[in-house]
Amino acid sequence: MAFDIEMIEKVYATMAARVDKARELVGRPLTLSEKILYAHLWEGMPSQSFTRGKDYVDFAPDRVACQDATAQMALLQFMHAGKNKAAVPTTVHCDHLIQAKVGATTDLAVANSQSKEVFDFLSSVSNKYGIGFWKPGSGIIHQIVLENYAFPGGMMIGTDSHTVNAGGLGMLAIGVGGADAVDVMSGMSWELKFPKLIGVKLTGKLNGWTAPKDVILKVADILTVKGGTGAIVEYFGEGATSMSCTGKGTICNMGAEIGATTSTFGYDDSMRRYLAATGRQDVVNAADKVASYLTADADVYANPSNYFDQVIEINLSELEPHINGPFTPDRGTPVSKMKEEAAANGWPLKVEWGLIGSCTNSSYEDMARAASIVEQAVAHGITPKAEFGINPGSEQIRYTIERDGIIATFEKMGTKVFTNACGPCIGQWDRAGADKGEKNTIVHSFNRNFSKRADGNPNTHAFVTSPEMVAALAISGDLSFNPLTDTLLNDNGEEVKLLPPVGDELPKRGFDVEDAGFQAPAADGSSVQVAVSPTSDRLQLLAPFEAWDGKNITGAKLLIKAYGKCTTDHISMAGPWLRFRGHLDNISNNMLIGAINAFNQEANKVKNQLTGAYDAVPAVQRAYKAAGVPSIVVGDQNYGEGSSREHAAMEPRFLGVIAVLVKSFARIHETNLKKQGMLALTFANEADYDKIQENDSINFLDLTEFAPGKPLTLEFVHTDGSKDIILANHTYNESQIGWFVAGSALNLIAAGKA
């Protein structure tokens, strides 16, 4: 039986009436995305039609999921909100704080020792507030959600950008910051600008070496890392229904890499098979009663250009395996073109490591198909040229693939089997030799490949591809190897051509597991004590941010003018910094240390205008804070791309940055800044970015007139006495301005005014 089946049945009980009413109000057939959105309005029964990309709308998500790195800050905020219990089903998953180094058994034991304080905190706070807790080693949050909680037609939010993975089961699952999660956990509505819609029509059928991963790698190449911003991507067509549920999850997962609000697929037989295989026939029975409401109306998919803001068509029968990267997940190269691209760009051809896993590709099918390539290499006497590692997606998957001999197959090639956790995908990888900074190439099945993300080495060229292609490239040790056409030499000098991968969509003998790692909360958590030591360097109780004084901000200093790509990894790095995710003061020491200063093209070196000396970004900002001097950050396009981590907003807020002025924002980061009481502003004229000088002081001329739809006017005073008046746009509505006025959205919740 599924978790929370009563909640799921309740959603389905109201869906038909709400969708029918929405269709009447909109006056046309509805996409699946619109059906789910209108079925989850905070008001209940729809009463008006909303404009895509314009109207802010209040929603009522069905559930919340948090991973351990973001859950710390989310739950610290929830404690501050003063509620007795989470208002909707909520789970916490311990998957980020486990470093890959030796192998699963040793690495998990080390993590349980090093992060015991954090795990104990998360366990106890979950127990107190009615939150389901998944222990370290139980698996990766998004794989566990797909296996246990996701359901067609549902809406969930999660404190991780790859929450969108649950779209593989027909949900609208959306990544958010912890403050948004606290709203929903506190029994409040969740606000989102009504998304635009991108339709992706998939024709044909995947074959040979092509995998579901190649679909999203192609889409990322088409749309780029910001092409999906403010939109839901809805996949449909014969190609969509022909692929597995976990394959759909892979595609939805990497929708985060194009900036999409989320991605989804209509309810079909692959979802029925997956639900049944994971012990949720009761969900199938309930979903089948409203099946027509769990996919788009017929005319939508027949005439998509009439209903979507943009339509992309991909013929899966003609799609070639892709390898995306390096340094960005949207630079797509068909495998047949990699040799010439690598030569033209100076990419190292020797593959040092192949890594399979992450929330994107760690399913049974992924492991089985990759293992089929390994099995061939072993059978033909081919010695792999690169090192190889895997992270199973959950304990259920690990147990099942061990039972079915898949792990044994990998181990024949010397594969390191790491813990059921994120590991190298998020920088939790103690890679030998990475500190040398040598130029090298790795291939992985993860979702992101930003500079330094996997191993901390800025010269590691990381390429994203499917699990089966990772296996082939790791065996060959050559980035330019094309398994569709090329051969390998075995240990006897004989030429061998690898056959296309094969693997079961679902285990023939069913899934199995001894201990999945779930801890149910206490029925009554009122007596549970949550202790946070005042001397801890890992956890710190939060204090409210100060409210705005109602005056124009004057005399602010420019902290940094960030140049080029500035992701949340640049603003608040992961890796070794994950240990401080529950301690705002300590983790603030990594604020913007990865951002490139436009004035000297160096990272973590900015001018302290109080002394004239150059220092680390956090040190300069702490000096400004100590002197009572506000500051602003200036940035480039798609600022805050990547992870949903709200630390990238909380750290500058905590240290005294009052505004971030950029050419454009990634959706989640813009919302996170607003929630923490900061000013998230965009240049009305992007060319004004070039007017910002290193020694500028900034005055807000009309902040006292802050209002929806009204740009703010900023005066940049240069050292020679000249000035530039710059107009800054914003997307704040009345309630969001209220967050700024109060000091943060959480301050309003704690005061009972939200």
Side-chain angles (χ1 to χ4, degrees):
M1 176 179 281
F3 286 93
D4 309 311
I5 185 62
E6 296 86 359
M7 177 270 286
I8 295 171
E9 290 174 337
K10 184 178 179 181
V11 171
Y12 290 158
T14 60
M15 180 163 275
R18 293 182 180 185
V19 171
D20 288 346
K21 183 63 176 178
R23 191 185 294 111
E24 175 189 323
L25 290 166
V26 175
R28 56 168 174 75
L30 298 177
T31 64
L32 168 63
S33 302
E34 289 171 312
K35 289 182 179 182
I36 300 175
L37 290 168
Y38 278 105
H40 286 83
L41 297 176
W42 180 252
E43 65 179 336
M45 188 63 72
S47 61
Q48 66 179 104
S49 172
F50 296 105
T51 303
R52 299 176 192 169
K54 180 180 179 182
D55 292 334
Y56 280 96
V57 182
D58 289 334
F59 292 100
D62 301 311
R63 64 178 314 111
V64 175
C66 310
Q67 41 93 338
D68 50 354
T70 54
Q72 295 170 66
M73 197 57 69
L75 293 177
L76 286 165
Q77 291 180 86
F78 183 69
M79 292 169 64
H80 184 56
K83 305 297 181 180
N84 296 323
K85 188 175 182 179
V88 302
T90 302
T91 51
V92 167
H93 305 258
C94 295
D95 62 357
H96 273 56
L97 299 179
I98 304 168
Q99 188 175 58
K101 182 178 182 180
V102 178
T105 302
T106 299
D107 295 345
L108 180 57
V110 169
N112 276 321
S113 173
Q114 291 182 342
S115 295
K116 184 179 186 302
E117 177 186 14
V118 172
F119 293 147
D120 286 349
F121 165 74
L122 293 174
S123 173
S124 63
V125 76
S126 296
N127 199 28
K128 183 175 183 63
Y129 293 110
I131 296 168
F133 180 72
W134 289 82
K135 302 173 186 177
S138 60
I140 304 171
I141 174 173
H142 310 305
Q143 181 63 38
I144 289 181
V145 166
L146 200 69
E147 290 178 359
N148 296 277
Y149 299 112
F151 66 97
M155 175 185 278
M156 70 174 287
I157 60 171
T159 61
D160 188 283
S161 56
H162 293 104
T163 298
V164 294
N165 188 80
L169 255 176
M171 292 194 90
L172 288 190
I174 301 170
V176 299
D180 277 348
V182 170
D183 284 353
V184 177
M185 292 165 65
S186 299
M188 297 166 51
S189 62
W190 173 64
E191 183 185 70
L192 177 73
K193 184 179 287 187
F194 205 85
K196 295 183 178 180
L197 300 176
I198 298 173
V200 180
K201 183 178 182 179
L202 302 178
T203 62
K205 188 175 182 179
L206 294 170
N207 63 87
W209 283 88
T210 309
K213 184 63 160 261
D214 297 303
V215 176
I216 185 58
L217 294 180
K218 180 64 175 178
V219 170
D221 187 51
I222 294 169
L223 289 176
T224 78
V225 291
K226 64 176 184 176
T229 303
I232 294 175
V233 182
E234 187 171 324
Y235 293 85
F236 62 94
E238 61 179 349
T241 56
S242 69
M243 68 177 66
S244 68
C245 178
T246 53
K248 292 178 172 72
T250 291
I251 292 169
C252 292
N253 182 291
M254 274 195 69
E257 274 55 69
I258 59 172
T261 300
T262 192
S263 304
T264 196
F265 286 78
Y267 182 49
D268 63 14
D269 284 340
S270 73
M271 298 181 191
R272 292 184 177 93
R273 292 193 298 271
Y274 187 75
L275 286 165
T278 51
R280 291 176 285 173
Q281 183 62 44
D282 49 350
V283 177
V284 176
N285 296 341
D288 281 348
K289 295 175 182 177
V290 291
S292 65
Y293 292 91
L294 303 178
T295 190
D297 290 333
D299 194 57
V300 171
Y301 293 161
N303 299 288
S305 60
N306 294 337
Y307 302 98
F308 293 99
D309 298 291
Q310 181 179 355
V311 178
I312 296 169
E313 185 168 338
I314 298 174
N315 186 339
L316 301 186
S317 300
E318 299 174 356
L319 182 64
E320 187 177 342
H322 273 58
I323 304 170
N324 283 29
F327 307 126
T328 187
D330 62 344
R331 182 172 185 166
T333 303
V335 64
S336 63
K337 303 292 185 185
M338 179 51 77
K339 188 172 185 177
E340 60 187 82
E341 279 294 304
N345 291 282
W347 300 336
L349 288 179
K350 182 184 178 183
V351 175
E352 306 280 354
W353 266 91
L355 296 157
I356 294 173
S358 92
C359 57
T360 319
N361 281 108
S362 56
S363 69
Y364 184 91
E365 182 181 33
D366 291 329
M367 297 295 172
R369 284 174 62 86
S372 76
I373 305 304
V374 173
E375 188 68 58
Q376 291 182 59
V378 172
H380 288 291
I382 301 172
T383 300
K385 303 301 188 294
E387 294 190 77
F388 205 70
I390 64 170
N391 286 81
S394 69
E395 174 58 16
Q396 177 169 269
I397 288 172
R398 188 213 62 79
Y399 189 94
T400 304
I401 64 174
E402 182 176 53
R403 181 202 67 189
D404 292 353
I406 292 173
I407 284 184
T409 295
F410 279 118
E411 289 179 333
K412 290 175 186 176
M413 203 177 75
T415 302
K416 283 190 176 182
V417 181
F418 296 123
T419 314
N420 316 317
C422 303
C425 179
I426 58 158
Q428 281 287 53
W429 183 23
D430 188 353
R431 181 187 178 188
D435 56 336
K436 297 178 182 178
E438 295 175 340
K439 187 176 181 180
N440 73 103
T441 284
I442 65 173
V443 294
H444 59 59
S445 68
F446 308 157
N447 39 49
R448 292 191 178 132
N449 56 347
F450 302 140
S451 175
K452 300 192 287 186
R453 182 174 174 89
D455 63 3
N457 177 4
N459 297 312
T460 292
H461 290 55
F463 293 87
V464 182
T465 189
S466 68
E468 39 270 74
M469 281 296 298
V470 169
L473 295 174
I475 291 165
S476 71
D478 183 358
L479 182 65
S480 67
F481 174 67
N482 182 354
L484 284 74
T485 58
D486 300 346
T487 58
L488 297 172
L489 290 179
N490 68 10
D491 296 345
N492 295 324
E494 302 164 331
E495 287 193 357
V496 176
K497 190 170 188 297
L498 297 174
L499 298 175
V502 294
D504 293 329
E505 172 186 325
L506 297 163
K508 288 187 173 69
R509 296 162 57 192
F511 286 106
D512 203 0
V513 67
E514 285 185 349
D515 179 7
F518 175 70
Q519 172 187 293
D524 179 2
S526 58
S527 62
V528 175
Q529 296 297 311
V530 180
V532 176
S533 169
T535 60
S536 172
D537 68 352
R538 300 286 302 269
L539 298 166
Q540 179 187 48
L541 294 176
L542 297 175
F545 292 134
E546 290 185 5
W548 177 46
D549 64 6
K551 301 176 182 178
N552 278 323
I553 297 169
T554 58
K557 300 298 183 185
L558 175 70
L559 175 61
I560 185 173
K561 178 180 175 180
Y563 173 82
K565 186 184 284 285
C566 191
T567 71
T568 50
D569 278 276
H570 294 87
I571 305 167
S572 176
M573 288 183 178
W577 291 95
L578 284 171
R579 64 180 280 105
F580 298 121
R581 283 284 181 86
H583 197 294
L584 185 53
D585 194 7
N586 283 344
I587 199 169
S588 293
N589 289 322
N590 80 357
M591 184 191 72
L592 285 159
I593 63 175
I596 300 300
N597 182 356
F599 299 110
N600 57 19
Q601 295 298 304
E602 293 186 60
N604 203 26
K605 186 177 181 181
V606 296
K607 189 172 185 179
N608 181 337
Q609 293 192 46
L610 302 180
T611 65
Y614 285 84
D615 205 341
V617 183
V620 171
Q621 183 54 40
R622 286 185 184 275
Y624 290 156
K625 181 179 181 180
V629 176
S631 66
I632 78 163
V633 168
V634 170
D636 213 317
Q637 296 279 9
N638 207 30
Y639 184 88
E641 166 193 347
S643 169
S644 68
R645 66 191 67 154
E646 64 183 339
H647 298 78
M650 295 187 77
E651 292 171 32
R653 178 71 172 102
F654 175 73
L655 292 182
V657 177
I658 48 90
V660 178
L661 174 63
V662 301
K663 293 180 181 178
S664 64
F665 282 108
R667 175 189 62 86
I668 299 176
H669 188 62
E670 181 182 19
T671 300
N672 286 345
L673 290 169
K674 291 179 178 181
K675 285 280 185 176
Q676 300 305 330
M678 293 183 69
L679 293 168
L681 309 173
T682 57
F683 289 101
N685 179 4
E686 290 185 3
D688 285 344
Y689 171 90
D690 297 322
K691 296 178 180 177
I692 311 302
Q693 299 179 21
E694 188 172 31
N695 296 301
D696 281 352
S697 292
I698 304 100
N699 301 314
F700 285 76
L701 303 183
D702 53 5
L703 185 58
T704 53
E705 301 167 26
F706 194 15
K710 183 180 184 298
L712 291 174
T713 308
L714 281 66
E715 179 184 64
F716 284 75
V717 182
H718 311 307
T719 49
D720 63 1
S722 64
K723 301 176 181 178
D724 276 304
I725 304 298
I726 289 176
L727 207 59
N729 292 333
H730 65 83
T731 60
Y732 288 76
N733 58 27
E734 288 287 1
S735 63
Q736 293 170 348
I737 290 174
W739 303 340
F740 170 73
V741 171
S744 72
L746 185 58
N747 286 355
L748 291 177
I749 297 175
K753 296 179 180 179

